[in-house]
Structure formats: C-alpha cells, structure tokens
Amino acid sequence: MPRVLRAIAPYDGWKGGGQVSTSVVYNPSKFELPEDQLKLIKWPIYFGFTLFVVGAIMGLEQALDHAGIRLIPYMPGINSYYQGLTLHGVINALVLTTAFANGFMSLTTARGLSRPLNKPLLQLAWWLLVVGVLLAAFAMFTGNANVLFTFYPPLEAHWTFYVGLALVVISTWVTSANQLITLSAWRKEHPGERIPLLAFTSIATYVMWDFASVGIAIEVVFLLIPWSFGLLAGADPLLSRTLFWFTGHPIVYYWLLPVYVSWYTLIPKQVGGALFSDRFTRVAFVMFILLIPVGFHHQYVDPGITQGFKFTSTVMTFGIFFPSLMTAFAVMYALEIGGRRAGGNGLIGWFFKIPWGDPSVCAQVLAMIVFLLGGLSGLMNASYDMNLIVHNTAFIPGHFHLTVGTAVVLSYMGICYWMVPYFEKRKLWSRKLALVQSVLWFVGVLIMSRGLMMGGLLGMPRRTDLALAPYAANLPEWHIAGILTGIGGAILFTSAVCFFIELGMTIFAGEPEATREDIPFTATVQAPESSGWEPNLDRLRYWVVTGVVLTVLVYGPVLLAHMPPTFVAGLQP
Ligand code: HAS
Ligand code: CU
C-alpha cells in the first residue's frame, strides 16, 4: 500500500475486537419496560406518523406547485397555498419531531438506566401532546392559522393555534421531567457511578431543549397568546422574531439529537461495529448545550440587531458545526469497524460490507450521506455574504429537506424498522419494501433539493405560490429547477406511501414473535473514566449555567436595547 494510504488507514486489518469493554446501558443482560409504559411510548410515535400522512400529502402539493402543477383546487378543505404550507411545516417539522422524540427518548432513557419511568408523567405528556395538536390542527384546518411554521407576527392566528403549540412544548418539558426524576432515583441507588451513555445522551438532548425552548415559550405566552385574545394592542415583529429564532436554531438540534443518539449508541451495534469513545460522545452532546445562542444567523437581514452581534452569531455557528463534524468522524469510524469485521479491506472496501440488507441500517446510513450535503449547505447559509444571496430563496428549503427532511426523518424511519417490531413483538412485514422505501427517499431528496437549491441560486423565492406567479413564466431558467423539485417531491411522496404501508402492515399483519428482542445498543472501545475530569461531563447543570451566561452576553444587550416593545396591529392572512 502506498505510504500515504497506510498513514490514513492505520487500522486496516484491525477488527476492533478484544478491547470493547463497556456497554452503553446500565444492565446489558436484560431489561424490559412494563407493557403499560411501552404503550405510552409507542402511541406518540404512531400519532406523529399518522399526522405525517397529511404532512406528506401537503408536501406533494408543494413540490408539484414548483413544477407548475396546482393540486390545491382538488384538495377538500384546503383553500390556499399558505394553508397547505402551514400544515406541511407544522405537522412535519414541529409535531412529528416532538412526538417521535418524546417517545423514543423516553424509551432510550429507560433502557439506558434499566429502570421504569414515572407512569403518570408519561400519561400527562401524551395527553398534553394530543390536546395541543388537536387545538392547533383545528386552527389550521379551519383556515384560521395560515401563518406558516414560523408564525411570525404581524401575521395572526386563532388563539387555539398558539395555545395548542404551547401545550405541545409543555409535553416536552414533562417528558424531560420524567427523565430527570428517573435519573435522580437511579443516582440515589448508584452514588458516584457514571450515567450510562444511552441515558446520558437522551437526557442531554432534552436538557438542551428545556433551555433552548425558553425563547419560544416567552414569545407565545407573553406576546402571542395575549395578543390573540385581544389583551395586547398588537405584536412586536422584531421582538417576536428574535425570541422565536433564539429557540428556532437549537430546535433543529432537538430534532437531530435523538437521531445522533441512534447513530452513536445503536447503529455501531447494528453494523457489527463498536463506538470508539465514550468521552468523545459526551463532549459532543455537551457542546450542543453550551452553544445555544446562535439564532441571529436566521436574522442577518433583520433591522434592529447590530452587525457586531450578527458577527458573534456567525462565529458561534461555526463553533456549533464542530460537534457534528465530530459525529461524522465517530460514526464513520464505527461503520468502518463493522465493515472491517465483516471482511471489508482497503480504504473504502469496508463501506460496502456493512449490512446494507438491514433496512434500519440502510435508511440511516443513507440519511448520514445526505446529511453531509445538508451540513455543507448549512455552512453556506451561515456565511454572512452567501446568506444575502440565498436568504428567503428556495435554497433554504433545499437545505432543510436534506437536514430535517432526510437526516432526521429518514433516520426516524430507519429506527422504526427495528422499533416497531420491538413494540409489537412482530417481525418487520417486508424487508424489501423497507429497502425500496429508503432508497426512494434518498434519490427523491437528492433530486428535489438539487432543484430547490438551483432555483434558489437563480433567485427563486421560497414560500411563494409559484404556479400562480406571473413572472415565473418569463424566467425559463427556473423551469428545470421547478421540474426537478416536482419530480423529487413525487418520489419522496411515493417513498412515504411505502413507509405507511410497511408500518401499518407490520403493526397489524407482521408475523408474531414469542419474545421481544432487546434494543440494539453498542459497547464502547474507550470506557468512561470514574476519576479525573471526565465525571464532570455528567454534571449537566454546570454546562447549562455556562450556556446561560453565554446567552445573556449575546442576547442581553440586543433585548435591552429593544425595550420597550413596539406594538403593531395584526394581519389575518
Ligand atoms: Fe440549518 C436554516 C445553518 C443544520 C434545519 N436550517 C434552516 C432552516 C431549517 C434548518 C428548518 O446559518 C429554515 C428555517 C426557516 O424556515 O427559515 N443549519 C445551519 C448550520 C447547520 C445546520 C451551520 N439545519 C441544520 C439541521 C437542521 C436544520 C441539523 C434540521 C434538523 N440553517 C443554517 C442557517 C439558516 C438555516 C444559517 C438560515 C438560512 C436563512 O437565511 O434563512 C450545522 O449544524 C450543520 C452541521 C452538519 C454537519 C454534517 C455532519 C455529517 C454527519 C453525517 C456523517 C456521515 C456518515 C456517513 C458517517 C457538519 C454527522 C459516512 C458515509 C460515507 C460517505 C463513507
Ligand atoms: Cu439555524
């Protein structure tokens, strides 16, 4: 082998065997949650995917609209493009993600600590989610909340929309409280022990979110709800946008981190590999808690925020890029160990030896590959000058269908391919259909995002009913972009249909199994240390306090300079 290749492939031939030491769960031999708790974990996940049927239909409508085909007139109950887009964004980005995370992170916390959760809190989180979603859905379906998923004032929605979303956020806090109460009980019985990694990563995800969600909570409770009840004279658009984006950037990590939990702690086992380092993983999760205040990168063009703070946000956004780069390294290494153990050799031979025939692996590794592109486009968005070109263009949906739309959602689907059989004690209905579904999603999103990004660079706006825009016809260079978007979107929709069939058939017609196979958790090569600096990684409250200090430094001056709020009258779209 040439010298340079030898240098970058030092582990050629190393199978990672022998040294794998510590499991990521407290009791690796056996633990199963009681059936009544498992039900309260699976319902939110099924509920999220049921609503996703509507979200996916609205997605098809959006994508075809870019190609000049309008489905709105054929959709009963949907009166405008904005109503469809609101349903699409709220259901897919806010409801499916929350519902999935509440269920999945409860399961992984319980398995990590190998003890049951608090049942009344599980019930409370479930009912808050259901009531909240029904209220918001009422507002959206009746056309009283055509405000898109960012609900920027002065666009105004019916109070049921804001109250509904508030209840959904409270359900996430209840889920977090449940995790923390369970952790505290575990710690009492195991003083001085390190938190098992599966539980640590799951709890850190929600602790990050508890802190990040404060912005949107203040916006909704103190500004939007009183305004929608007529108690406030108007809304303050800049203050609302600033509070919204304080949460709106880290919310993307609230969507992503449950997937990172799977990529770090489950996928290595599923590919027959191992996670390299426990400490490295914890550092990555802690970084997400520290670097919360970067939301200004969504407001580069907003007036009222000085260049200095926008620049600070740019620098910190490049900082928050690092834990994802770390993840790319760690996960790729876990895949490599698995591929080499399976006989793969050379620089990339291992990649073809990972178990591609396992739909759960196939979906998630394809999601990772797409995320490489999603992450790159994020860096483009974050770069001030480039942002001025792509902001509010179709490039942005191009970016986020690669990230939340695929890295996250295709991974959720991959996780379902072991988790639904686990819940139901049934075999996956059809491996083949699940594999076809994953590949279709991968191909579909690459085509669709290519179209959106190309259009965006040519000035095609986002959030616009392009099929009705008279100027679009005079811009032939947009045509190919719109057609790619439409074709990609139609492939994604076909993939979603395959997923719904797979899910439904597995639940109702999958071959029953006598026992429940445990969830696929990995072991780590470098175990956690119980002395030295490392145990400090588990002291989440220190990291939260440091994050809060940083937040006050970045957001404090901007919010103070803006006071008192300036209220303007609302617009009902
Ligand atoms: Fe973003 C806008 C910057 C990540 C979602 N983003 C959005 C919006 C959404 C969204 C929904 O700075 C639109 C909001 C709206 O409606 O206006 N984003 C970033 C940056 C990152 C990033 C720097 N975004 C995400 C994630 C999302 C998401 C994650 C959802 C889950 N984004 C922006 C900016 C804007 C923005 C600006 C505003 C634009 C504007 O003007 O409006 C980074 O966190 C990305 C880091 C990611 C990586 C990739 C790591 C790769 C991994 C996979 C490894 C692969 C393996 C496979 C192992 C560094 C971990 C191996 C295979 C082989 C090939 C061998
Ligand atoms: Cu962001």
Side-chain angles (χ1 to χ4, degrees), residues 135-385:
L135 281 176
F138 164 77
M140 290 186 291
F141 278 110
T142 53
N144 286 308
N146 301 331
V147 291
L148 310 184
F149 91 109
T150 43
F151 46 89
Y152 293 142
L155 293 184
E156 192 174 3
H158 191 254
W159 65 266
T160 44
F161 180 77
Y162 303 121
V163 172
L165 288 188
L167 295 182
V168 170
V169 172
I170 296 172
S171 89
T172 64
W173 293 344
V174 172
T175 302
S176 179
N178 200 345
Q179 289 179 318
L180 293 172
I181 288 171
T182 313
L183 173 66
S184 147
W186 181 87
R187 271 190 155 149
K188 264 194 203 122
E189 288 171 20
H190 306 279
E193 282 182 44
R194 299 296 304 278
I195 306 173
L197 188 64
L198 182 59
F200 174 86
T201 49
S202 312
I203 294 167
T205 299
Y206 264 75
V207 166
M208 183 282 298
W209 168 246
D210 294 339
F211 168 18
S213 53
V214 171
I216 216 170
I218 295 176
E219 181 201 5
V220 170
V221 173
F222 294 106
L223 296 172
L224 302 183
I225 292 180
W227 178 47
S228 65
F229 280 118
L231 301 173
L232 275 184
D236 180 332
L238 180 60
L239 181 58
S240 282
R241 287 166 71 93
T242 305
L243 291 168
F244 180 87
W245 285 117
F246 170 75
T247 300
H249 182 78
I251 203 176
V252 311
Y253 299 129
Y254 169 63
W255 305 334
L256 181 71
L257 292 190
V259 166
Y260 275 11
V261 171
S262 168
W263 292 0
Y264 271 109
T265 63
L266 310 181
I267 275 286
K269 162 85 173 182
Q270 292 178 280
V271 299
L275 173 64
F276 185 63
S277 166
D278 176 282
R279 145 191 349 143
F280 186 92
T281 311
R282 290 185 208 243
V283 168
F285 275 77
V286 164
M287 282 182 79
F288 285 109
I289 299 178
L290 285 180
L291 289 172
I292 296 269
V294 298
F296 294 146
H297 69 220
H298 293 263
Q299 295 180 276
Y300 284 148
V301 299
D302 279 18
I305 300 166
T306 60
Q307 296 298 76
F309 285 105
K310 289 178 180 169
F311 180 69
T312 313
S313 174
T314 308
V315 173
M316 287 173 61
T317 304
F318 280 77
I320 198 65
F321 201 67
F322 274 88
S324 287
L325 285 181
M326 290 165 68
T327 306
F329 163 76
V331 177
M332 216 178 292
Y333 194 34
L335 299 182
E336 179 175 348
I337 296 174
R340 289 199 190 286
R341 282 181 181 170
N345 277 316
L347 197 56
I348 54 165
W350 55 268
F351 185 68
F352 303 101
K353 288 282 181 184
I354 59 173
W356 286 102
D358 173 348
S360 178
V361 170
C362 177
Q364 293 186 70
V365 176
L366 292 179
M368 291 171 200
I369 295 172
V370 169
F371 193 42
L372 288 169
L373 300 173
L376 280 180
S377 54
L379 211 53
M380 293 167 71
N381 296 342
S383 309
Y384 191 92
D385 307 38

Side-chain angles (χ1 to χ4, degrees), residues 103-122:
F104 182 48
M105 294 290 90
S106 298
L107 177 68
T108 49
T109 302
R111 185 63 191 95
L113 298 172
S114 309
R115 62 186 302 134
L117 300 157
N118 177 305
K119 188 176 166 195
L121 287 182
L122 275 177

